[in-house]
Amino acid sequence: RSESGASGAPSRIVIPSRSVVPAAASARRDYEFTPGMKSAGPFSLNFDAIEVWNGKQTIEAETVFKDWIRFLRLGYRFTGTGNSDSHRLVSQEAGYPRNYVSVPDDRPESLDGKTVAASVRAGNVLVTSGPVIDWWIFDSPAAGFDSAPTGHAGPLKMRVRVRAAPWCDVTTVEVLRNGDLVKTIPVAASTNLVRVDSSWDEPLADAAGKFYQIRVCGEKPLDDVVPPDGNRHMIPLAFTNPVWIR
């Protein structure tokens, strides 16, 4: 759980030991993380990325997404990722969800592990089961924690475009500021490649020092492409990593 200080801003995260370390009730205790801490008891924050979404576990992903936001609010820059965790050909289909990692040169002969790892650490990752998000801030691609241009005095100019295959449902685009929903863009039913292309202004006074994210949701499961596993369905969902406004 997260707790807030007098200003209302989150001041610490408390993790109960029983969530990871089995112990008798008398031996259980809570461990708290405050900004800058790297470890507390058996828990360590010495990592670069966190798995927010695993396969068809979309309900669990919402819970982990909220936990990720709590750490981001405390200043921890963990890259959010998603993966299909495919151990079987059936019911754990590879690539749903998947990570799109932005790199300077995506030609296969130009790729190397160090470049990809550096992009992941910098937050240049889009997590999706289908929709593709293109996002710009002041006409510059928003890809990475510190990718937002600086030195602008006027309102924060944003643009988002969402593309999707005909079989992928897209119903809403959500704009998050510090994890809170500040804008919803409805999307008309369509099978066109581009589902929405929208521009708007954010007051710079509200944005400074905050982080923004884009999340795209659909309602119709992808059952025709990704068969359900019992009552678990793959839903159309995509989210960006945060971009801090300086």
Side-chain angles (χ1 to χ4, degrees), residues 19-106:
S19 64
V20 175
V21 182
S26 60
R28 292 175 180 169
R29 57 164 293 186
D30 291 344
Y31 297 92
E32 69 175 62
F33 285 92
T34 55
M37 289 181 63
K38 285 295 184 181
S39 63
F43 301 99
S44 172
L45 297 184
N46 188 26
F47 54 85
D48 300 307
I50 181 171
E51 182 188 76
V52 176
W53 185 7
N54 183 308
K56 297 184 176 79
Q57 300 183 67
T58 50
I59 296 176
E60 293 86 345
E62 279 296 317
T63 299
V64 181
F65 190 92
K66 293 175 182 177
D67 289 340
W68 177 40
I69 291 296
R70 292 183 180 105
F71 279 111
L72 295 175
R73 287 172 174 168
L74 283 182
Y76 293 98
R77 295 192 174 193
F78 299 141
T79 299
T81 66
N83 73 89
S84 52
D85 199 8
S86 302
H87 296 269
R88 295 178 293 175
L89 292 176
V90 179
S91 79
Q92 294 180 350
E93 294 79 12
Y96 294 92
R98 69 191 69 181
N99 303 289
Y100 285 106
V101 181
S102 176
V103 293
D105 187 346
D106 63 0

